[in-house]
Amino acid sequence: MAIREILKDGDETLRKKCREVTEFNPRLWQLLDDMAETMYAADGAGLAGPQVGILRQVVVIDAGEGLIELMNPTILSTSGMQEGAEGCLSFPGEYGIVRRPMKVRVKAQNRNGEWFEAEGEGLLARAFCHEIDHLSGRLFKDLAVRMLQPRELEDEE
Ligand code: ZN
């Protein structure tokens, strides 16, 4: 495993649309292992392919309920609403208030290409939405109701 460089604000790769994953092979598994290690090292709750320069529909998430790997994910249904502070490993130190569904049901393939469905609530629902947005070049700042000021961040800690 290896830690990969996380692309930051302004890198145009973050704005590109990702292609589907079609090959579920050791090269993909290496990428997934690296992405998980990179996410944990950066203390993040999720990481998407474009953030490490890979324009494929690949996402890793750990919102405190264990590691989830998603290939070619789509959102099947959503319900409810939550509004809260959200950040991104590509925008270190920046947080915005973003509205997301409270519950999200997704469909995706695992690292062996098998389809599965998963449901997330709260932080996990937020992570599903945030990371799946990355795959079409959408960033949390696009959706933020407003960005938090540094002083507000200190208050939250
Ligand atoms: Zn992000």
Side-chain angles (χ1 to χ4, degrees):
M1 299 217 289
I3 291 176
R4 304 215 179 184
E5 187 196 347
I6 299 176
L7 302 182
K8 298 289 170 9
D9 187 9
D11 194 304
E12 64 181 27
T13 305
L14 295 173
R15 286 297 184 183
K16 295 195 168 144
K17 270 197 168 26
C18 293
R19 289 186 294 157
E20 275 185 24
V21 175
T22 53
E23 302 204 34
F24 299 83
N25 57 21
R27 203 163 159 226
L28 173 70
W29 303 336
Q30 178 74 59
L31 171 65
L32 287 165
D33 291 346
D34 288 356
M35 284 175 65
E37 192 179 5
T38 304
M39 171 182 72
Y40 288 125
D43 206 17
L47 191 66
Q51 294 180 279
V52 290
I54 305 293
L55 288 171
R56 290 283 180 178
Q57 295 177 25
V58 181
V59 160
V60 297
I61 289 172
D62 191 336
E65 301 174 37
L67 179 64
I68 305 174
E69 299 172 336
L70 305 168
M71 265 55 65
N72 306 321
T74 53
I75 291 174
L76 294 175
S77 63
T78 65
S79 65
M81 198 272 276
Q82 57 176 318
E83 189 176 276
E86 192 168 314
C88 177
L89 291 179
S90 294
F91 297 83
E94 294 190 65
Y95 296 89
I97 301 294
V98 182
R99 286 188 189 128
R100 299 289 192 184
M102 183 53 83
K103 269 190 181 179
V104 174
R105 188 160 189 84
V106 299
K107 180 184 162 189
Q109 282 167 284
N110 67 16
R111 60 164 59 206
N112 297 311
E114 296 151 356
W115 287 98
F116 67 98
E117 292 184 15
E119 194 166 76
E121 196 173 346
L123 183 59
L124 183 54
R126 181 176 289 283
F128 279 146
C129 294
H130 178 112
E131 301 308 329
I132 290 172
D133 276 352
H134 268 299
L135 304 179
S136 54
R138 190 151 55 157
L139 302 171
F140 80 105
K141 287 179 116 176
D142 303 341
L143 304 170
V145 179
R146 65 183 180 89
M147 296 302 288
L148 292 179
Q149 301 306 312
R151 198 171 49 81
E152 294 178 277
L153 291 176
E154 282 168 22
D155 291 345
E156 296 221 334
E157 279 164 9

